[in-house]
Amino acid sequence: MTMTEETIAVTDDEVEAQMPKPVGYRLLIALPQIEETFNEMGIVKSERTMYEEQLMTVTGVVLDMGEQAYADKERFPSGPWCKKGDFILCRANTGTRFKIHGREFRIINDDSVEAVVQDPRGITRV
C-alpha cells in the first residue's frame, strides 16, 4: 500500500522544516489558497479551473528573503521594494514553482515584485 500526501498527517513544524531558504537576491512567496467555489453562487470549480487560477495568480505573500535581496544600492536606491509579510503583485507564472504538501510556493527574483498591496482579496489576473 502506498501513502499519498492526503493520508499522511503533517505538522506545521514539519512543513516549516521543509520550507526552502531563499539565497542571494531571491524571495520566497506563498501563493493564495484558491477558493473551491465561484463567489456567492456556490458553484464548485473544476480541478482544471482551480489549477489554472493557481498557475496564473499574480498575488502572493513574502515569507522570506535571501541575504542579498535589495542589497544593490544602484538598482534599489530607495531601499527594498517589500518586506517579509507584505502582499505583493508579480507577473503570472513568475519564478520557480513548487508545492509542499499540496500548497504552492514560488521563489522569485527581488526585481520581480511589481507592487505591494494592502489586501489582495479580489485581485485576479485579467
Side-chain angles (χ1 to χ4, degrees):
M1 178 173 139
T2 60
M3 298 182 84
T4 64
E5 288 179 7
E6 292 82 30
T7 62
I8 300 172
V10 180
T11 66
D12 289 342
D13 289 339
E14 289 171 320
V15 171
E16 189 171 331
Q18 294 172 340
M19 197 64 63
K21 170 77 175 145
V23 296
Y25 51 87
R26 292 178 180 85
L27 311 178
L28 175 62
I29 308 297
L31 299 187
Q33 294 289 90
I34 301 300
E35 297 291 326
E36 293 182 6
T37 59
F38 289 100
N39 297 329
E40 40 306 309
M41 292 184 289
I43 298 171
V44 177
K45 296 177 184 176
S46 71
E47 286 185 32
R48 180 69 185 174
T49 298
M50 290 183 61
Y51 170 77
E52 288 174 358
E53 285 183 19
Q54 186 76 52
L55 176 68
M56 302 306 288
T57 188
V58 294
T59 62
V61 63
V62 179
L63 297 181
D64 203 355
M65 304 171 90
E67 67 281 348
Q68 295 173 5
Y70 301 113
D72 185 336
K73 300 301 181 201
E74 286 185 35
R75 292 181 68 213
F76 307 105
S78 61
W81 292 353
C82 64
K83 63 186 180 311
K84 288 182 190 179
D86 281 350
F87 292 103
I88 56 122
L89 290 179
C90 62
R91 291 177 184 247
N93 215 9
T94 295
T96 302
R97 300 175 52 228
F98 62 96
K99 286 186 177 183
I100 297 178
H101 299 289
R103 177 99 191 258
E104 186 166 336
F105 299 88
R106 294 189 186 164
I107 295 180
I108 67 171
N109 295 340
D110 56 4
D111 63 355
S112 294
V113 173
E114 296 191 355
V116 174
V117 295
Q118 292 297 313
D119 184 354
R121 292 177 294 185
I123 295 175
T124 58
R125 181 178 180 273
V126 178

